[in-house]
């Protein structure tokens, strides 16, 4: 896949033929690679051409928040834009990026388009802002649901929204949903024993909607 192909795929055709093309770096990364923070800090944003990555966000209080990204995602944009004019000592969190599957990524320093002059710049900036806002909303929505509901209710709502979970091992699910691993294992065991859900390999799905509806009554106040 060429740089022009990537820009077409992510709907940034206006950047083809501009100096921005020279800033894009395509890399193949094996599973287990930790994308060096200084490199991510320099480029900020990337397009996940193939594979899966995981961001570990470290809070000032010492907590960790996990986000998984898949083929077609453009991670890091809202983080990049929010940090652009914020002194490093005032930034509220730090980020590590782990490659969870053999992946191909294209580093996209989209914030640098703010410093370039080219035809169609206004349209590009509008797209960048839209992507950043959408990504920020997804993260905020996830955090909001986590803060409102217990882990048990949050897991059930997530499963109902997605119908089937095929994320991987219990550890990977716990990271993806930001639920303590032991808490998740106990919850899965209970829901399977009560025949509410079924687990086949890495797939988890609702086995009996009637039983699930009955089970959810415990959350009603």
């Amino acid at each position: 896949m060429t740089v022009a192909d990537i820009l077409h795929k992510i709907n940034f055709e206006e950047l083809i033929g501009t100096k921005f093309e020279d800033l894009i770096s395509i890399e193949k990364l094996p599973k287990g690679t930790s994308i060096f923070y200084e490199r991510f800090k320099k480029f900020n944003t990337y397009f996940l051409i193939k594979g899966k990555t995981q961001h570990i966000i470290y809070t000032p209080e010492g907590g960790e928040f996990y986000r998984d990204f898949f083929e077609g995602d453009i991670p890091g944009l809202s983080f990049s834009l929010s940090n652009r004019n914020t002194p490093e000592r005032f930034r509220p969190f730090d980020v590590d990026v782990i490659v969870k599957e053999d992946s191909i990524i294209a580093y996209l320093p989209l914030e640098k388009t703010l410093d370039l002059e080219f035809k169609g710049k206004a349209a590009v900036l509008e797209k960048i802002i839209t992507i950043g806002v959408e990504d920020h909303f997804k993260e905020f929505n996830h955090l909001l649901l986590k803060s409102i509901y217990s882990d048990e209710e949050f897991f059930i709502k997530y499963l109902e929204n997605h119908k089937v979970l095929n994320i991987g091992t219990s550890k990977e699910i716990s990271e993806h949903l930001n639920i303590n691993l032991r808490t998740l294992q106990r919850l899965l065991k209970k829901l399977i024993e009560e025949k509410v859900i079924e687990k086949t390999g890495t797939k988890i799905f609702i086995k009996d909607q009637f039983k699930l509806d009955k089970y959810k009554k415990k959350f009603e106040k």
Side-chain angles (χ1 to χ4, degrees), residues 29-35 52 96-103:
L29 301 170
K31 179 180 178 180
T33 301
S34 175
I35 299 177
K52 175 183 175 183
D96 195 8
V97 183
I98 307 297
V99 180
K100 303 297 286 185
E101 298 174 358
D102 290 350
S103 300

Side-chain angles (χ1 to χ4, degrees), residues 36-81:
F36 188 52
Y37 178 63
E38 288 303 317
R39 185 160 177 74
F40 179 58
K41 196 162 106 175
K42 176 182 177 182
F43 286 95
N44 302 116
T45 311
Y46 61 92
F47 172 61
L48 189 49
I49 300 172
K50 179 182 177 182
K52 175 183 175 183
T53 59
Q54 182 182 79
H55 289 199
I56 307 174
I57 303 169
Y58 303 97
T59 68
E61 296 76 23
E64 296 180 3
F65 179 74
Y66 296 86
R67 284 196 70 190
D68 292 338
F69 295 93
F70 303 90
E71 184 176 321
D73 285 339
I74 305 178
L77 184 55
S78 59
F79 171 75
S80 169
L81 294 177

Side-chain angles (χ1 to χ4, degrees), residues 175-199:
E175 290 179 353
H176 183 75
L177 299 182
N178 291 277
I179 296 175
N180 177 273
L181 177 57
R182 290 186 178 180
T183 299
L184 177 66
Q185 289 173 331
R186 286 195 296 268
L187 175 58
L188 291 177
K189 184 173 183 292
K190 180 167 65 172
L191 291 173
I192 290 171
E193 287 177 348
E194 296 190 21
K195 302 188 186 306
V196 174
I197 66 171
E198 187 169 323
K199 189 172 186 294

